[in-house]
Each structure stands twice: as structure tokens, then as C-alpha cells.
Amino acid sequence: MRLLLLTIDFPPARGGVQHLLARLADGLAQEHDVSVLTHCHPQAREWDRLRPYRVLRSRVVGVRSLDLVWLGLRALVEILRLRPDVIICGHVLLGPVCDLAQRQFRIPYIAMAYAYEVRAPRMRGIAGFTLRRARQVVTISKFSRQAVMAYGIPGTRVTVIRPGPGVNGDVDLDPSAPDHSGGSGGRMLLSVSRLADRYKGHDMVIRALPLIRAKVPDTRYVLVGDGWLRPYLERLAASVGVRDAVTFTGEVSEAELDAWYRRCDVFILASRESASGGGSEGFGIVFVEANLRGKPVIGGRSGGIPDAVLEGVTGLLVDPLDVGEIADAAVQLLTEPSLAARLGAQGQQRAQDELSWRNYVSRFDQVVKSMVGTWDSRGGK
Amino acid sequence: MCGIVGIAGIADEALVRRMADTIVHRGPDGEGYFVGDGVSLGARRLSIIDLVSSNQPIWNEDRTVVTVFNGEIYNYQELRRALEKKGHILKTAGDTEVLVHLYEEYGEAGVHLLRGMFAYAIWDARRRRLMLVRDRLGIKPLYYLEHDGRLVFGSEIKAILAAAEEPRELDRDALDLYLTLQYVPGPRTLLRAIRKLQPGCLLVWQDGQTTVRQYWDIVLVEGDRKATEESAEEEFGVLLEESVRLHRISDVPIGVLLSGGIDSSAVTGLLARCGERLKTFTVGFEAGQEVNEINEARIVARHFGSDHHEVVMGPSLADVLPRIVGFQDEPVADPAAVPTYFICQFAARWVKVLLSGEGGDELLGGYPRYRWLDLSERIRRRAWARGMGGALRGALGTLLPQGRVATRLRTLLSSAPLGHRHLEWVAALDERLKGRLLHGTDHNDGPSGGAALLVQELLASVGMEDAIPGLMYVDFKTWLPDDILAKTDRMSMAVSVEARVPLLDHRLVEFVASLPHQVKIRNFGTKRLLRRSMRDILPLETLQRPKQAFRVPLAAWLAGPLRELLWDTLTDSTARQRGLFSTSGVAALLAEQANGTHDHSRALWSLLCLELWMRQFLDATPPAHH
């Protein structure tokens, strides 16, 4: 089958969605004729050269709305040229052009739904349009499925496929691999995320740190990632007397990230749902990444995190606004090595098995195939 | 809610009893003492939660950790459940007990789990170690004195004076701060030997050594972020409602101090939404009708159908003021203390707990001066604007008559550091006036004293380019704990009523502090966040009322009911012999006030409160108000 993936997020730009779509395209290309249409990127040439499928790039001028319109026009041209059997709509903003193709050329489309874009109040109009018209919606967690169904879309048209770890290539999973983090001993809690969204809950982990250190005094908290919240979080750590126990690494390379994952004792991201505004975790690929390295995880009981963290199986869930509960969970995993090891091992198993990209692609493939079937029967009337 | 006292270093029950006797008003319902090996603790109790079993002091399971506690822990039920799950055995039904078990569980870090207002002492008998803790924002007071390896502490200064033998020496630097600010910012007090434990700090005494450490501070975020205003409003509303709900916890009747302003109206509205049949209380003035807010309060009370009570302050001011100053414990020359005392005394007939809207201005950026000084800072940063400002400033002297507006304008156009401009704006006595009083001559060097140093230091510690977060931080560290909250605590406790401040719940404060100031203050409109989140709850008149400071008819008081007390107190032989101020300077001030050439009301009020205080706390043993 000929498949066309339209997306505004695609590598070499970094991010969870970018990674997911690349793994999807990689996987689908093994069986189908895949084309991807996305924005230009300065380092795109090298990356695109290594893909086993066509990557088409639309020009950008740096103005978001203009770039989007340009991508839409280019999409129309490519749809006419390529005549795909199915279009995968990588972002709700691209819904109108997909809908046009569906109505004019009877090319059905699958809409991808993640989290923020379907919950943000200012996206309601376009998200509702794209999702309602889509023949199928594929999303990442039960939480996001609820958000999609809130637009009045029947559950039968929404499929949850949980994404896998956001790691490129094969990870050396030998737990005795050397430590590159330059750590200075002691126990380590690790978070990985941009420091740009309050809802990620770094603040509450920092506030819990004095309580954790009261019981496990050599505990450090390492925050990998950067963003405008960093100076605030640094001052926050100082305000509760733990500045020396908190490390901000800034942006790191894939190799360094891998080293931090290996080096930590517990991975933690106590994300919360903001009372409104749509800020929340849609799934939390970082939990799976940590699990993949055999690490136990702690997640905030919010958004799609319960899909990424199986309570008592791959990690622990906490009330993200309760510093006492955050501290208790961290202390438990830092002081009960057998529990930590068991959760880590079970998490690793799940990451390699149920949440493998192989599994993701094959389930997605079923959606693609089922959809074409129904279309043919209708088209035959 | 109570008063606490104690001494580390000696065991002396008679002494702690004597200390506790000076603060019976803080806790008339009961008393309790613990005297152990090298330690004496005492508490006076006002029963609010768990009236039966929570008599202090309170121990842990094996009686190795003991506490005396003043305040309320609003999340105590949640903490009790968590502690019981960890195997602690709690014997009472109250909030005090969680303190000892949290200490067992987390040591000093246990304080991070407390949500509420508190000042407490914990004696760890095994380590022979005393820990004093004060809440994050300084809602409850705690004073201490170190002497000879001993540590004497108490909820009020008068309790410490009952135990301390050394001479009571006035701290001249603190006096300078008082004259500028109308209160003494911590950790100083007007008495050289006595310190305040600062908000958000804990003190540990062991083997005669004392260390003080900060465990919490407010962290304001840099501005200029595109703020997601809608979500901020909604989240603010959710947090405020939660805070008000938590602040209802009580086994005795509660009421609201309703001024008619938006802060106390919001508290009233949210309580009413909890389904509470409310009692509200408002105070008005007989002298000076123009400053009354009785009508505004009535609108709100009617809107929510509360059981509303009003009291009008009568002419008996001169009899009461010395008592009020005595209760104040250290002089806070904020005239709002007087109506606060009256309304609490009045409300005490019906309730034991009063919720108030205090803290709203500091939290939400309610003071217009933030915006004005921010503007002034922007002018100063631009060379061309600075030049024009300088010229304008020069012209002002001839164009505008002397007065408030001219003074304000001069401050705004001044090229002095931000801290100095802030002080020029808020000062009770400017440097010129201070010079006249202290030396009998004008000495006009600009604010060079301790206050300027303190403010500049606080501004520097925030280290932000924006003026607004820095100025808000200064208020959080000085004005809020040492004026607003000191006044609220002392005036309510004077009549054995507990005041609660739901706008200062730390979770709410942390959230609001983390918002860019553009969400709080915009285009000279103030308290956007509160106004907008309350738009479906409060009556329109209240929402649309422009910001009004709580005003007191001070000049009318000084010319009327207090005239005699003022002249006598400031000019009699006791005052003259004290020799703190130039006799001619004081006389000139009084004369100018009397013939109406200048309004020195704030300065004279500061001097009056100070002299009344010195008579009770320096010259004599402070009165025990039984």
C-alpha cells in the first residue's frame, strides 16, 4: 500500500512525537510504500539520506502560520502526485488538507492524537474538526483516548497504541556498562524533560528532597533538560536548603542521556494536571526509557502516566501535589533494593516486549489495513 | 492557638510559670508545663481543635520528644493518617501531636509537611537538643534571647522579660529602623538582647550553641513570560477555595473580619460557598465618616446572607491606646492596629476564630506603588527619559506646592537606587524629619541608615532586572511579617481570639509567586487574579470598587480624642528626661500639626506608640494582662 505521513514534527528535530513518527515510518516502510512530508530542517539531508523511504521537505520561512499553509499546499500537490491509499495525519493542524483529500479523492486518513493538542482550550476548534472527520484516530494512552472521545467521537474509532522508548538504535542493556555521568557517588533521582512546563512537577520533587534526605542523606536529584524554568528551579532548590543536592545538566547528547539513565537509582517525574489549560502528560515515554535500562520509576498520578507506569509492577504512582507521598515513594525505592530491582526488571521486560516499536508498528499496521477494507466495501457500492 | 514559653539550659518550673503568666491572654483555657533535665517548657492554651485531649505539652510514644505549640496545622488529619500508616501511635485527636511524630520521622525536615501557621518548640531529650520553628510567612510570632549558654524563648517579648535579669537596653539601630518603617524588621527588636526567629527559619540549640537555618523562602519568578492567564486564574481560584476550606477546621464557632474590600469579601464568598452559615464583623469610625467602609461591607454581607455585626469605635481611645500598645509587645505604629483590636474584642462575644483577608495585597501585588516604582525604574534606565526626569524634578520645586503629590513625583523622578525610592515612598518619617527630631536640625543626606541597607540587600538577593518581583520580595520579608501579621496576631490574641489568614496558605503563595508579575499587575489595575477568579462569586459593586487602602482617621484622632494623651506623653518630664529626641524638635512638630501647616500624623503616631511602649517595657515590668 502507498502511505503518506503528513507531519510538522519529524527528526532530526528532537522530541517525543518526532521520535514516535520516525519509528512508525521506519516500521511501516518494511511492508508499505511510505512517503513522509514535513518541514525543512538544517540537518535534514544527512538524516533523510539514511531513511528507507521518501522524505519530502517543505520550505520554511520561520513564521509558523505561513509555514503551515505552505506545508498544506505542498501536501495537496504530493497527494495528487503520489495518490496514496491512506494518509496519516501527524498533527491535528493538518486536518483540513487531509479532509479535503478524503472528500475529493476518497483517500481516508488516520489522525494521530497525543495529549496537549487535544486538550488545550485554544486548539479545540481545529482538533474537533480533524478528529471528527478522521476515519480512525490513533492515540497514546487511555487518558488521551478520553480526551478524544470528549469531542463526541465513538470509542470504536479510537485506538490506543502505547508508544515505546524514545531511544534511537539499539541500547546496550548490560547493567554493568561503564558510568559516563561523572557522578560523585550517593543515591540519585533522575528527571528527564524540558524545563519549560510547570506541570512537569520538578518543583514538587525539589520540595520533597529535604524529606528524602532526612532518611537517605546522600540522595541527589539530577534534572536533565533545559528551559526558562531553570533559574526558578535553581532558586527554589536554594530556598529549601538543597541547592547542593540538585544538579542541572542542561541539554545533553544521546550518549550522555543514556549514561544518566544508567547511573540513576530511580527515575521520577511527578507531573500533574494543571486545573485547566491542557497542560499534562499524555503518556510519558521517558518512564519507558528508564524502565528499558532496568530502572524503577515514580510518576505523578495524572494524565496518561498510569498507562506508562504500571503501579506496583514497573514503578510507583504518587499524588503529584503531595510532597509527603513523593518523598515516601522515593525513600521506599532507595531503601528497598529488592523492590527497586523487581520493578526495574518488570519494567524492562515490558519496555522490550509490550512497548517495543515492533509491537507498535504491527498494531498500527492492523489499523491501516482494517481501514482500507472498510473503505473498499463502501467504495464498491 | 496558644502562647508558648521556655528555657533551654535550666530546669525551673517556677520561672516558666512566671513567664507563661505574662501571656495568659493568648491562652486562657489551660496551661501546661514540662520541666526536664536542663529544660523548661510552658504553654498557655486557647482550645480550638480537640478541646478535650490536646492539652500541652505533648509527647511522643516513649516520652523522649516533647513539644509546646502555638498555631494551627490545617492538614493535620491527613498527616495523622500518614503517620499512623508508618506505625506511630497517636493518643490525642488534635494537631499538636503530629509535630513530635514528624520530628521522629524526619527530624528537622518534618516542617516541610506542615500546612498552616505555627511557632513551636521541640525538646529531644535523647540528644538534649531544642528546636524552635516558625511558620513560612511569619504568621505566628517567636522571640528568643541567648544568655550565658541558655536560650530563653516565648511567643511574646514580655514573657522573655519575665525571665531575663539583664538590663533592658534599647537598640539604637532598631530605633532608627522603627522611625523609618514604623515597625522593626526582624531579626531585630527594639530590645538589644531579644531577637525574632525569622519566618521560614528554624533554630537549634544544643550544648549551649545556637544555630539558625532557613528552611523555606518565597521564590518569585522573573517576569516577561507570556503568561497563560486563563489557566492561572482558574488554578488560583481552585487553590484559594481549597485554602479557605482548610481554614474552616475548628471545633468552635468561626467568623470573618469583613472590611468590604475584595480580599475579605472573597474569603466571605468562598466560605459561604462551603455552605457555612456565616458570621461577619465590620468596624466603623465615629470620628472621620469619610473613611468608613461600613456600607461596602454591608453590601457583601447582604449578598451572602451572613449574620452581620457592626461596631462603631467610640471616643474612649485615649483610655485604650496604652493597653493596645502593651498588647502589641513591640511597637508597630500601624494605626490600623486600633480598629483591629476593637473589632476582635467585639467579635469575641460570638466567636473564637476569625478569618481575615490579610496578606492579599502582598500576595497579589495590590499596592499601586509597585507599578509606579516600576515605571520610575524604567525612566531611570533610559538616558533621555532620565534627562527629562531630572529637568522635571528641578522644575517641580517651583511649579507644585509642597504636598503629597509633589513628594511622590519627586520620588518617581529621582535617580536614587530603587531601595531608596521604595523607602521614600513608605517611610513614616523621612530623613529630614528624623534629623529634626533626633538633633533638632534638618539633616538631609537621603536614606543612609539601616533600613536602606536592609532593603538594598533584599533587592540584591532577588537579583532580578524587573523592579516588581524585588519590591514584592521586600514586602514579604519585612512589612508582611513585622507589621501586618504582627498586628493581626497581637490584636486578636489580646482578646483571646484566633485570627486566620487563608490568603497566606503557603501552597497558594508558592503558586502565585511562580506566576510572572504581568498576570498579577497590569496597567495600574491591581489584583487582577483575584478580581477575575471571583467574578462569578462577588457582587459587582465589590468587584468594580477601586483599590482602597484601609484608612484610619488618624489626624482626626490626634486632634480630637487623643490630643491630650499625645501632648502629655510626648512632652512630659518622663519623655524629656529620656532624652531620645530633641525637645524643640518634638515641640515644633506638635505645633505644626496643631496649626495645620503640616500633616505629621504618621510621625506623631510613631512617637506616641514608642513612648507609650517604652514606659511599659523599658521603665517598668510589662503588665501581665489577666
Side-chain angles (χ1 to χ4, degrees):
Chain A
M1 279 163 65
R2 284 189 304 277
L3 305 179
L4 173 63
L5 169 60
L6 295 180
T7 175
I8 53 179
D9 308 302
F10 204 69
R14 289 176 75 171
V17 173
Q18 285 83 345
H19 185 73
L20 182 151
L21 293 177
R23 295 303 287 248
L24 177 63
D26 287 358
L28 290 174
Q30 293 183 1
E31 198 180 325
H32 304 283
D33 173 15
V34 174
S35 306
V36 175
L37 174 61
T38 186
H39 284 312
C40 257
H41 188 281
Q43 281 100 47
R45 187 180 298 255
E46 181 63 13
W47 204 88
D48 293 353
R49 200 170 53 80
L50 299 170
R51 296 305 103 192
Y53 46 84
R54 218 173 288 116
V55 184
L56 307 161
R57 299 269 175 183
S58 126
R59 275 165 208 281
V60 292
V61 293
V63 182
R64 244 181 90 97
S65 48
L66 278 183
D67 291 345
L68 190 65
V69 170
W70 191 245
L71 184 66
L73 290 173
R74 176 76 188 275
L76 266 184
V77 173
E78 296 301 338
I79 289 165
L80 282 170
R81 195 166 67 88
L82 298 166
R83 288 282 170 168
D85 299 305
V86 173
I87 298 172
I88 300 165
C89 175
H91 195 284
V92 291
L93 286 174
L94 294 166
V97 64
C98 296
D99 178 59
L100 188 68
Q102 187 167 266
R103 280 189 288 121
Q104 295 302 316
F105 314 121
R106 315 203 114 208
I107 303 170
Y109 76 90
I110 303 171
M112 303 294 287
Y114 312 101
Y116 178 74
E117 85 286 8
V118 287
R119 293 186 70 240
R122 62 190 176 85
M123 299 280 282
R124 291 203 75 79
I126 185 74
F129 175 88
T130 302
L131 298 172
R132 271 194 287 270
R133 307 253 172 147
R135 194 53 52 87
Q136 280 287 327
V137 178
V138 172
T139 187
I140 54 175
S141 64
K142 279 183 277 191
F143 172 73
S144 292
R145 183 169 189 262
Q146 290 295 328
V148 171
M149 286 167 64
Y151 287 99
I153 293 152
T156 49
R157 266 172 45 203
V158 189
T159 309
V160 176
I161 312 179
R162 295 183 183 92
V167 180
N168 284 314
D170 291 321
V171 178
D172 178 8
L173 293 173
D174 175 9
S176 61
D179 174 7
H180 300 294
S181 68
S184 59
R187 307 311 207 84
M188 187 197 295
L189 302 172
L190 174 72
S191 290
V192 176
S193 101
R194 292 198 310 144
L195 305 181
D197 300 299
R198 251 185 280 269
Y199 74 80
K200 296 275 183 186
H202 299 100
D203 53 347
M204 295 313 258
V205 179
I206 291 173
R207 291 190 187 285
L209 202 54
L211 293 160
I212 297 167
R213 284 167 61 83
K215 298 205 164 177
V216 189
D218 61 354
T219 306
R220 281 197 300 149
Y221 178 34
V222 176
L223 293 87
V224 171
D226 216 336
W228 69 276
L229 274 175
R230 179 166 164 182
Y232 171 73
L233 293 170
E234 285 173 344
R235 284 205 305 274
L236 190 70
S239 78
V240 293
V242 294
R243 183 63 191 86
D244 293 342
V246 180
T247 306
F248 293 84
T249 68
E251 298 277 354
V252 301
S253 68
E254 292 280 343
E256 286 168 311
L257 177 62
D258 179 54
W260 283 113
Y261 272 127
R262 282 166 198 292
R263 169 69 188 80
C264 76
D265 295 285
V266 176
F267 180 86
I268 186 164
L269 200 63
S271 304
R272 54 185 176 253
E273 280 163 54
S274 59
S276 65
S280 66
E281 216 64 67
F283 176 74
I285 283 179
V286 283
F287 294 106
V288 184
E289 292 183 21
N291 273 159
L292 186 67
R293 275 81 171 191
K295 304 297 180 178
V297 298
I298 298 171
R301 198 178 289 110
S302 76
I305 291 180
D307 278 36
V309 180
L310 299 184
E311 166 103 80
V313 179
T314 68
L316 302 176
L317 293 175
V318 294
D319 174 351
L321 291 175
D322 186 337
V323 287
E325 224 179 274
I326 294 170
D328 285 352
V331 168
Q332 193 182 10
L333 291 183
L334 291 173
T335 55
E336 294 179 29
S338 61
L339 174 68
R342 182 163 59 79
L343 298 181
Q346 285 163 183
Q348 191 173 47
Q349 174 95 51
R350 180 171 180 247
Q352 288 173 316
D353 193 2
E354 183 197 335
L355 300 179
S356 67
W357 287 109
R358 191 172 5 89
N359 199 19
Y360 185 92
V361 171
S362 89
R363 293 202 50 207
F364 199 96
D365 192 42
Q366 283 168 21
V367 176
V368 171
K369 284 178 177 149
S370 73
M371 204 172 64
V372 171
T374 54
W375 184 261
D376 284 348
S377 67
R378 273 200 207 173
K381 276 177 192 170
Chain B
M1 175 56 58
C2 311
I4 59 172
V5 296
I7 308 175
I10 50 167
D12 187 340
E13 178 158 349
L15 190 57
V16 278
R17 276 180 184 275
R18 205 156 69 231
M19 291 171 73
D21 281 348
T22 63
I23 53 168
V24 171
H25 53 276
R26 295 187 74 91
D29 299 338
E31 59 187 319
Y33 303 94
F34 166 76
V35 177
D37 182 15
V39 69
S40 318
L41 305 176
R44 297 284 333 183
R45 179 162 188 238
L46 180 68
S47 316
I48 305 247
I49 287 176
D50 184 23
L51 308 182
V52 189
S53 63
S54 280
N55 280 321
Q56 297 187 28
I58 295 245
W59 281 269
N60 65 338
E61 296 91 340
D62 62 2
R63 294 174 83 89
T64 51
V65 179
V66 58
T67 190
V68 286
F69 163 56
N70 167 207
E72 297 293 349
I73 309 298
Y74 300 116
N75 63 338
Y76 77 100
Q77 282 149 332
E78 196 183 301
L79 291 173
R80 289 177 65 93
R81 278 193 294 276
L83 286 164
E84 278 169 343
K85 241 169 62 186
K86 290 186 205 300
H88 291 267
I89 300 158
L90 282 80
K91 297 189 205 79
T92 73
D95 55 349
T96 311
E97 201 176 7
V98 302
L99 301 175
V100 290
H101 297 286
L102 280 178
Y103 179 80
E104 286 186 296
E105 194 66 32
Y106 299 104
E108 291 170 18
V111 64
H112 288 281
L113 289 173
L114 300 178
R115 195 165 179 182
M117 52 178 184
F118 46 82
Y120 60 93
I122 283 191
W123 173 250
D124 180 338
R126 256 183 240 147
R127 299 166 73 185
R128 297 177 55 81
R129 186 168 188 264
L130 184 82
M131 178 173 83
L132 299 182
V133 187
R134 190 168 176 213
D135 63 55
R136 297 172 179 88
L137 292 157
I139 306 168
K140 289 288 118 189
L142 196 52
Y143 296 89
Y144 67 95
L145 171 149
E146 286 175 86
H147 179 67
D148 228 2
R150 289 176 191 166
L151 184 83
V152 187
F153 69 88
S155 296
E156 296 190 14
I157 287 176
K158 44 182 89 70
I160 296 178
L161 292 180
E165 290 120 32
E166 58 260 50
R168 292 164 197 178
E169 193 190 338
L170 191 70
D171 182 337
R172 293 296 179 127
D173 295 333
L175 177 67
D176 184 66
L177 289 167
Y178 170 81
L179 291 175
T180 304
L181 297 171
Q182 81 185 20
Y183 58 88
V184 180
R188 288 173 188 284
T189 70
L190 269 183
L191 294 167
R192 186 182 286 282
I194 298 179
R195 311 235 118 200
K196 290 178 240 196
L197 183 60
Q198 290 284 73
C201 285
L202 58 81
L203 175 154
V204 172
W205 178 93
Q206 196 165 21
D207 302 325
Q209 297 296 314
T210 299
T211 49
V212 176
R213 181 171 75 73
Q214 188 175 48
Y215 68 85
W216 187 92
D217 195 10
I218 186 162
V219 183
L220 292 144
V221 83
E222 192 100 42
D224 268 334
R225 251 328 278 184
K226 269 234 169 86
T228 49
E229 199 159 87
E230 261 170 54
S231 68
E233 270 159 39
E234 202 170 321
E235 210 151 336
F236 172 80
V238 170
L239 278 167
L240 179 59
E241 195 167 347
E242 178 183 285
S243 173
V244 169
R245 210 170 45 240
L246 279 171
H247 280 74
R248 288 164 65 207
I249 292 178
S250 166
D251 295 337
V252 296
I254 67 173
V256 187
L257 289 177
L258 179 62
S259 74
I262 187 153
D263 299 337
S264 61
S265 302
V267 172
T268 307
L270 290 171
L271 267 178
R273 284 231 304 202
C274 295
E276 195 92 19
R277 168 72 177 144
L278 277 177
K279 284 188 167 44
T280 47
F281 301 92
T282 301
V283 62
F285 305 105
E286 201 170 63
Q289 278 302 316
E290 72 284 356
V291 297
N292 265 329
E293 292 188 288
I294 284 207
N295 290 330
E296 285 79 4
R298 221 173 268 165
I299 291 170
V300 177
R302 207 172 306 133
H303 187 83
F304 295 111
S306 70
D307 177 10
H308 188 57
H309 303 266
E310 291 167 0
V311 62
V312 173
M313 275 179 55
S316 59
L317 217 50
D319 304 334
V320 189
L321 189 62
R323 267 172 66 78
I324 289 180
V325 172
F327 279 126
Q328 273 191 341
D329 206 39
E330 51 175 338
V332 176
D334 182 343
V338 178
T340 307
Y341 175 80
F342 270 87
I343 187 67
C344 288
Q345 189 183 42
F346 174 69
R349 284 191 242 160
W350 290 274
V351 297
K352 223 169 168 180
V353 175
L354 282 167
L355 270 63
S356 113
E358 293 287 14
D361 287 322
E362 292 73 18
L363 178 69
L364 299 160
Y367 296 115
R369 95 182 115 83
Y370 295 139
R371 206 71 178 104
W372 287 111
L373 286 170
D374 180 53
L375 179 71
S376 149
E377 190 68 0
R378 281 163 204 273
I379 292 173
R380 203 172 74 106
R381 286 212 194 106
R382 291 199 175 75
W384 61 269
R386 200 164 53 231
M388 269 174 55
L392 248 169
R393 198 173 133 85
L396 267 178
T398 48
L399 286 175
L400 271 175
Q402 291 286 321
R404 224 178 85 114
V405 178
T407 316
R408 287 278 185 261
L409 267 173
R410 210 169 295 122
T411 301
L412 290 177
L413 297 172
S414 150
S415 59
L418 181 61
H420 290 203
R421 276 173 286 152
H422 162 81
L423 282 175
E424 275 176 32
W425 194 290
V426 301
L429 275 78
D430 62 26
E431 293 303 305
R432 206 171 46 84
L433 215 49
K434 240 163 48 180
R436 279 173 70 186
L437 282 170
L438 290 168
H439 318 293
T441 57
D442 283 18
H443 87 133
N444 193 7
D445 312 337
S448 55
L453 217 62
L454 174 72
V455 170
Q456 282 303 121
E457 228 167 70
L458 288 170
L459 285 173
S461 76
V462 175
M464 284 189 193
E465 207 158 295
D466 272 327
I468 291 176
L471 293 169
M472 292 182 78
Y473 185 73
V474 169
D475 279 343
F476 264 105
K477 303 304 281 185
T478 56
W479 163 255
L480 180 68
D482 297 315
D483 183 303
I484 297 287
L485 294 173
K487 171 195 78 192
T488 306
D489 171 79
R490 243 61 100 232
M491 292 301 94
S492 57
M493 285 280 85
V495 292
S496 308
V497 166
E498 171 175 297
R500 295 179 177 180
V501 282
L503 288 172
L504 293 179
D505 168 57
H506 80 271
R507 288 277 301 278
L508 185 65
V509 172
E510 286 167 0
F511 171 72
V512 176
S514 78
L515 298 173
H517 62 78
Q518 287 88 347
V519 178
K520 301 169 224 175
I521 307 165
R522 183 184 293 177
N523 302 334
F524 298 89
T526 54
K527 297 198 202 164
R528 278 177 71 79
L529 214 50
L530 185 62
R531 274 176 216 280
R532 296 183 60 130
S533 72
M534 289 294 124
R535 66 195 146 187
D536 299 330
I537 297 176
L538 292 181
L540 207 59
E541 295 102 301
T542 311
L543 284 170
Q544 290 177 343
R545 252 185 94 203
K547 152 90 186 162
Q548 245 176 353
F550 182 70
R551 284 181 302 167
V552 166
L554 194 54
W557 286 353
L558 293 177
L562 290 178
R563 187 185 156 81
E564 214 170 308
L565 181 73
L566 177 72
W567 282 74
D568 287 354
T569 311
L570 295 189
T571 59
D572 70 5
S573 59
T574 314
R576 272 182 283 126
Q577 276 160 22
R578 200 182 300 284
L580 271 184
F581 300 109
S582 139
T583 313
S584 62
V586 173
L589 232 62
L590 284 167
E592 285 172 12
Q593 177 84 4
N595 65 29
T597 50
H598 284 90
D599 182 8
H600 294 306
S601 301
R602 279 187 71 195
L604 289 170
W605 182 256
S606 292
L607 295 182
L608 177 61
C609 291
L610 177 68
E611 181 57 36
L612 289 172
W613 179 83
M614 289 191 290
R615 286 176 193 203
Q616 295 179 60
F617 285 78
L618 283 184
D619 305 347
T621 310
H625 296 280
H626 285 79

